[in-house]
C-alpha cells in the first residue's frame, strides 16, 4: 500500500475518489453495466411485475392477487401438483446421483493417474451434449412400440412393452431414469478431487487398527468429504428445482400433468398463456423456496462442517 | 499407483491386487457404457440409412454406414447450415465478452481497492443464487417488447455477455496471485491497465481458457433463450433448429439423430482437443466455491 500513499496526497482535497478508486470503476464498468441491465433490473422488474396483471400497454395493479392465485389451495391448482412433482423428482434424483457419483469416484481411485483420466473422461463425455440432442435420443429410447430400445430390454426379462412417456404410471419414472443415466461427470470429478485430498495418515492409522475397507469408507472417507457432499447437494437441489428441459422436450408436462415441474409451469404461464405477472410471482416463490432449502441444508449438514 | 491409502496395496499377493482392480474396472466400464449408450446410439443411427418408416429401423446397429441421413438433415431446411453458423456467432460473442469483461471485473474485485467493491461483489454473489426463471420474463419483455430486438444476434448474445459466475471465477483466481507482484509493478510506474495486460493476463491463461470453454459450451448448448428471442428460421441456432425438426418430423429418425450428432459435434471435438481444461473447469469452480 506504500505505493499508493504519495498519490493520495496529490489528489485535491475535494475529490474524494483516489486514483485507485477510479481504476477500479473503469475495470468493472462494462461488467456492472451488463449486470445492471440484464440481471439487476430484471430481478426488480420481476418483483414489480408480480403485483400486476401485465399488458404491453398499461398494466393493471392487482396487489397480491397473483400470489394468492398461486397459493390458494384447490385440487385443480397446478402449482401444488407441479411443486409435488418437482419435490419427488428432486428427492429421488439428487440423493441417488450423489450416491452413484460417490461410489464411482471411490472405484476410480485405485487406478493409475492415466487410467483415472480415461474413466473421468468417459463419465464426463455425455454431459457435453446439449439437452435438446439428448432429449431427442431419449425420446426414441423410450419409444412405446415393442421395437423401442427400453421395451426390448424389458422383453428380455419377459415384461410386456410399456408406454414409457405417455402413461401417468411411468412418465415420472422415465424422467428419473433418464436423469440417473445421464452424465455424473462433474460430481465424480469433484469427489475424486476431494478424495485425493484426504491425508494418508488417517488410512495408515485405520490399517493399524485393523479396519476393513468399508469401515474406512464409512468412518474416514464419508465424514471427510462431507463439505463436498454438501456443496453437491445444495447445487444439485438448486438445479433440480429449476428443471425444465427434460419435461419440456420429453413429455411437455403430460400425461395429465404428471410431469409438470415448476420450471415448466412458469414457462407455460408466461410464454404460452401470456400471464407474465403470475409467472413472475411463481418464479419469486421458487427463488424463495430455493433460498430456504439451501439454508436448511447448510444447517442440517453443516453442523460439523468447517469452512 | 495413486497414492491413496484407502485401498490395501496387497504387497504380498500381487494376484489379489490384479484381480480386484480387474473386477472394479469391469464394473466401471459397464456403468460408463450405460451412460455413454445414448450418445453412441445417436452417432451410430445418424450414420445409418435414411429410413423414414417407423418400426423397421430400430436396430441398435445400423444396417449399413452412410452419410445420407446427414444429407437429409441439411436438406430439411434451407437454413440448416445457417443454424450452425448462428450458433458459432452467438457462442463466439459470449466467449469474447466474458473473457474480456469478466476478467477485468474479476481483477478489480480481487486486487484493486476501490470504494464499494465489497458491496458490489456481494451483489454479484447474491445474483448467482437467483434462479433464471425470475429474470426470464422481464428479460423477454425488455429485449422483445421494449428494444424490439427479436431475431438479432445482439438479443441472443447480450444477456450472457458477462455472467456473474465468470466474474466470481476470475475473482477467485486473481485473489490467489501475489500482491507484491502488482505493488512492484506500480513502483516501476505501470498503471493498472498496463499491469493487467502485461502481468496479470499472461499468468491467467488457464482460468481464461477454462472460462472460454465453459462459456462456449453453455452458449452452444443453450436452447431456451435463443428459442424465446427468435421466430425467423434463418436466425435459429442449431439447438432451436433441432427442436423444430423434432416436431416437424416425428418419423424421420435417422436424420434427426444426424442433426443431434451435428449439434454435439463441435463440443466433442473441443472436448477431445482440450480435455485438460474441461476437467480443470470442474474443480476450479467447485473446490473454491
Amino acid at each position: 500500500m506504500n505505493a499508493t500513499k504519495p498519490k493520495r496526497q496529490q489528489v485535491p482535497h475535494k475529490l474524494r475518489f483516489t486514483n485507485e478508486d477510479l481504476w477500479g470503476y473503469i475495470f468493472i464498468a462494462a461488467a456492472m453495466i451488463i449486470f445492471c441491465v440484464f440481471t439487476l433490473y430484471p430481478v426488480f422488474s420481476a418483483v414489480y411485475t408480480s403485483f400486476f396483471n401485465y399488458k404491453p400497454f398499461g398494466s393493471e395493479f392487482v396487489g397480491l392477487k397473483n400470489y394468492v392465485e398461486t397459493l390458494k389451495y384447490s385440487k385443480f391448482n397446478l402449482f401444488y401438483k407441479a411443486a409435488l412433482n418437482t419435490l419427488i423428482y428432486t428427492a429421488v434424483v439428487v440423493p441417488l446421483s450423489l450416491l452413484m457419483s460417490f461410489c464411482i469416484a471411490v472405484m476410480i481411485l485405485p487406478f493409475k493417474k492415466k487410467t483415472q483420466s480415461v474413466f473421468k473422461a468417459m463419465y464426463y463425455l455425455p454431459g457435453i451434449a446439449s439437452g435438446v440432442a439428448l432429449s431427442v435420443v431419449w425420446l426414441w429410447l423410450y419409444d412405446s412400440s415393442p421395437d423401442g430400445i427400453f421395451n426390448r430390454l424389458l422383453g428380455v426379462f419377459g415384461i410386456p412393452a410399456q408406454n414409457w412417456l405417455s402413461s401417468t404410471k411411468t412418465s415420472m419414472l422415465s424422467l428419473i431414469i433418464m436423469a440417473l443415466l445421464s452424465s455424473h461427470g462433474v460430481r465424480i470429478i469433484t469427489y475424486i478431487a476431494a478424495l485425493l485430498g484426504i491425508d494418508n495418515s488417517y488410512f495408515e492409522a485405520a490399517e493399524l487398527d485393523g479396519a476393513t475397507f468399508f469401515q474406512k469408507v464409512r468412518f474416514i472417507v464419508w465424514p471427510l468429504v462431507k463439505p463436498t457432499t454438501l456443496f453437491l447437494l445444495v447445487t444439485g437441489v438448486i438445479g433440480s428445482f429449476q428443471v425444465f428441459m427434460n419435461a419440456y422436450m420429453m413429455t411437455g408436462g403430460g400425461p395429465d400433468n404428471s410431469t409438470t415441474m415448476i420450471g415448466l409451469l412458469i414457462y407455460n404461464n408466461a410464454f404460452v398463456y401470456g400471464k407474465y405477472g403470475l409467472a413472475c410471482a411463481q418464479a419469486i416463490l421458487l427463488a424463495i423456496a430455493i433460498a430456504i432449502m439451501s439454508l436448511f441444508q447448510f444447517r442440517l449438514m453443516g453442523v460439523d462442517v468447517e469452512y | 499407483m495413486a497414492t491413496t491409502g484407502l485401498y490395501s496395496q496387497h504387497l504380498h499377493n500381487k494376484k489379489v491386487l490384479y484381480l480386484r482392480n480387474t473386477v472394479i474396472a469391469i464394473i466401471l466400464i459397464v456403468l460408463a457404457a450405460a451412460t455413454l449408450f445414448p450418445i453412441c446410439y445417436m452417432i451410430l443411427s445418424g450414420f445409418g440409412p435414411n429410413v423414414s418408416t417407423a418400426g423397421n429401423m430400430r436396430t441398435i446397429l445400423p444396417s449399413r454406414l452412410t452419410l445420407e441421413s446427414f444429407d437429409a438433415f441439411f436438406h430439411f431446411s434451407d437454413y440448416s447450415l445457417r443454424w450452425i453458423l448462428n450458433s458459432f456467432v452467438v457462442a463466439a460473442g459470449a466467449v469474447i465478452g466474458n473473457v474480456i469483461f469478466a476478467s477485468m471485473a474479476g481483477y478489480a474485485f480481487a486486487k484493486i481497492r476501490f470504494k464499494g467493491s465489497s458491496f458490489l461483489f456481494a451483489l454479484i454473489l447474491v445474483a448467482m443464487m437467483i434462479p433464471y426463471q425470475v429474470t426470464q420474463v422481464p428479460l423477454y419483455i425488455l429485449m422483445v417488447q421494449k428494444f424490439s430486438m427479436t431475431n438479432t444476434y445482439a438479443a441472443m448474445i447480450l444477456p450472457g455477455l458477462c455472467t456473474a459466475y465468470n466474474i466470481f471465477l476470475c475473482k477467485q483466481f486473481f485473489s490467489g496471485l501475489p500482491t507484491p507482484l502488482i505493488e512492484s509493478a506500480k513502483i516501476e510506474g505501470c498503471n493498472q491497465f498496463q499491469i493487467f495486460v502485461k502481468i496479470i493476463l499472461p499468468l491467467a491463461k488457464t482460468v481464461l481458457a477454462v472460462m472460454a470453454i465453459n462459456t462456449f459450451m453453455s452458449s452452444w448448448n443453450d436452447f431456451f433463450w435463443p428459442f424465446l428471442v427468435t421466430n425467423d428460421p434463418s436466425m435459429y441456432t442449431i439447438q432451436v433448429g433441432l427442436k423444430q425438426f423434432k416436431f416437424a418430423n416425428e418419423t424421420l429418425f435417422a436424420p434427426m439423430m444426424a442433426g443431434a450428432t451435428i449439434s454435439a459435434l463441435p463440443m466433442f471435438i473441443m472436448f477431445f482437443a482440450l480435455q485438460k481444461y474441461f476437467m480443470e473447469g470442474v474443480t476450479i469452480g467447485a473446490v473454491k466455491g
Side-chain angles (χ1 to χ4, degrees):
Chain A
M1 283 325 294
N2 288 336
T4 56
K5 256 189 174 171
K7 280 181 191 164
R8 267 175 209 271
Q9 285 160 359
Q10 287 162 15
V11 175
H13 205 67
K14 277 181 195 165
L15 194 66
R16 273 170 298 160
F17 291 119
T18 61
N19 215 346
E20 194 82 346
D21 283 334
L22 292 178
W23 274 116
Y25 297 135
I26 292 170
F27 269 73
I28 63 164
M32 287 317 286
I33 292 170
I34 296 165
F35 176 74
C36 289
V37 177
F38 298 111
T39 305
L40 211 54
Y41 162 76
V43 169
F44 285 112
S45 173
V47 175
Y48 180 81
T49 311
S50 73
F51 297 114
F52 284 82
N53 182 8
Y54 184 88
K55 284 170 198 142
F57 304 101
S59 301
E60 164 196 5
F61 181 76
V62 292
L64 289 171
K65 186 172 156 275
N66 288 324
Y67 291 91
V68 173
E69 192 182 321
T70 301
L71 293 173
K72 195 169 61 190
Y73 185 78
S74 92
K75 256 190 166 172
F76 308 103
N77 189 338
L78 263 184
F79 187 77
Y80 285 103
K81 176 97 183 171
L84 185 67
N85 285 339
T86 311
L87 279 177
I88 292 171
Y89 180 84
T90 305
V92 178
V93 170
V94 175
L96 274 183
S97 44
L98 268 184
L99 191 66
M100 280 169 71
S101 311
F102 177 74
C103 292
I104 292 171
V106 167
M107 285 196 286
I108 291 179
L109 222 50
F111 294 98
K112 292 191 186 81
K113 266 253 140 38
K114 271 209 169 147
T115 324
Q116 285 188 359
S117 311
V118 173
F119 277 126
K120 279 195 234 174
M122 279 165 82
Y123 282 102
Y124 189 87
L125 189 64
I128 64 172
S130 76
V132 183
L134 285 176
S135 324
V136 163
V137 180
W138 277 86
L139 272 175
W140 285 92
L141 296 181
Y142 278 135
D143 195 71
S144 58
S145 79
D147 276 339
I149 300 288
F150 270 85
N151 278 338
R152 284 188 190 195
L153 202 65
L154 289 187
V156 174
F157 300 103
I159 304 169
Q162 301 289 318
N163 273 328
W164 291 99
L165 294 166
S166 42
S167 147
T168 47
K169 280 185 212 146
T170 47
S171 54
M172 181 58 90
L173 180 71
S174 308
L175 291 189
I176 289 173
I177 293 175
M178 179 181 170
L180 290 178
L181 280 181
S182 297
S183 174
H184 297 294
V186 170
R187 280 183 296 270
I188 292 171
I189 293 166
T190 313
Y191 262 130
I192 290 178
L195 290 170
L196 290 174
I198 296 175
D199 200 275
N200 254 342
S201 56
Y202 289 109
F203 298 122
E204 282 155 16
E207 197 102 328
L208 289 178
D209 290 343
T212 64
F213 171 77
F214 289 103
Q215 282 174 327
K216 280 193 255 180
V217 171
R218 168 72 186 82
F219 295 108
I220 300 172
V221 176
W222 184 248
L224 283 175
V225 297
K226 212 168 166 187
T228 308
T229 307
L230 177 65
F231 169 78
L232 293 175
L233 184 71
V234 173
T235 49
V237 169
I238 292 175
S240 178
F241 270 31
Q242 300 178 48
V243 75
F244 164 77
M245 198 63 214
N246 292 358
Y248 176 72
M249 285 293 290
M250 305 284 292
T251 61
D256 194 23
N257 289 310
S258 58
T259 53
T260 300
M261 311 280 186
I262 294 281
L264 186 64
L265 180 76
I266 295 173
Y267 168 83
N268 282 340
N269 280 332
F271 301 110
V272 179
Y273 306 117
K275 295 179 185 166
Y276 292 146
L278 184 66
C280 283
Q282 292 176 340
I284 285 160
L285 289 172
L286 173 68
I288 294 171
I290 286 176
I292 293 173
M293 276 300 286
S294 308
L295 278 179
F296 179 70
Q297 289 172 80
F298 271 110
R299 273 286 159 81
L300 193 73
M301 295 268 311
V303 192
D304 47 12
V305 173
E306 278 181 38
Y307 283 95
Chain B
M1 202 69 199
T3 54
T4 176
L6 171 58
Y7 287 86
S8 158
Q9 309 295 312
H10 291 285
L11 288 176
H12 8 269
N13 196 344
K14 281 281 166 200
K15 263 188 194 163
V16 179
L17 179 73
Y18 287 127
L19 186 68
R20 183 198 69 195
N21 282 3
T22 314
V23 171
I24 295 176
I26 290 171
I27 299 174
L28 282 174
I29 288 168
V30 170
L31 285 173
T35 56
L36 281 170
F37 175 73
I39 298 226
C40 298
Y41 181 63
M42 168 182 92
I43 297 172
L44 283 174
S45 312
F47 283 103
N50 176 15
V51 242
S52 52
T53 31
N56 65 354
M57 78 298 187
R58 251 159 283 147
T59 49
I60 295 175
L61 289 172
S63 50
R64 61 197 162 86
L65 291 179
T66 151
L67 286 175
E68 63 193 41
S69 301
F70 285 90
D71 195 52
F73 176 77
F74 282 115
H75 284 100
F76 161 70
S77 158
D78 292 343
Y79 304 109
S80 299
L81 261 176
R82 179 76 194 261
W83 294 343
I84 299 172
L85 179 75
N86 289 343
S87 277
F88 267 112
V89 171
V90 172
V95 168
I96 294 168
N98 276 286
V99 165
I100 296 173
F101 300 138
S103 67
M104 284 178 76
Y107 171 69
F109 283 125
K111 291 295 181 193
I112 303 179
R113 294 164 147 240
F114 58 95
K115 292 188 185 74
S117 88
S118 45
F119 169 74
L120 291 176
F121 188 66
L123 208 61
I124 285 172
L125 283 187
V126 171
M128 273 169 57
M129 321 230 172
I130 293 171
Y132 74 92
Q133 278 91 353
V134 172
T135 52
Q136 71 188 7
V137 171
L139 259 186
Y140 175 80
I141 296 172
L142 183 74
M143 299 306 268
V144 172
Q145 298 184 353
K146 293 198 176 134
F147 292 168
S148 308
M149 278 166 59
T150 314
N151 294 323
T152 57
Y153 288 129
M156 290 189 259
I157 297 171
L158 283 177
L161 198 59
C162 177
T163 65
Y165 176 74
N166 281 338
I167 298 176
F168 170 75
L169 194 71
C170 287
K171 195 255 180 185
Q172 292 299 95
F173 177 83
F174 291 134
S175 296
L177 295 178
T179 307
L181 191 74
I182 296 161
E183 293 300 329
S184 56
K186 263 187 215 160
I187 294 168
E188 300 288 326
C190 285
N191 65 32
Q192 284 290 2
F193 187 72
Q194 289 166 322
I195 295 174
F196 180 67
V197 173
K198 289 186 183 155
I199 299 173
I200 300 299
L201 284 188
L203 289 172
K205 276 180 197 143
T206 309
V207 75
L208 294 183
V210 164
M211 193 164 74
I213 286 172
N214 283 345
T215 308
F216 188 91
M217 178 157 80
S218 59
S219 183
W220 180 272
N221 285 345
D222 188 22
F223 160 77
F224 189 65
W225 184 247
F227 172 65
L228 283 184
V229 296
T230 53
N231 52 29
D232 175 356
S234 70
M235 284 306 286
Y236 287 165
T237 61
I238 180 76
Q239 310 297 344
V240 182
L242 192 62
K243 191 241 170 193
Q244 307 302 318
F245 195 72
K246 179 206 143 201
F247 285 105
N249 290 283
E250 285 294 353
T251 51
L252 287 184
F253 167 72
M256 210 154 91
M257 293 298 128
T261 306
I262 292 168
S263 82
L265 193 65
M267 291 317 307
F268 287 145
I269 294 173
M270 274 180 76
F271 180 74
F272 286 111
L274 305 163
Q275 217 186 86
K276 183 184 138 209
Y277 293 107
F278 275 86
M279 302 293 163
E280 204 124 349
V282 176
T283 35
I284 280 188
V287 173
K288 290 190 171 170

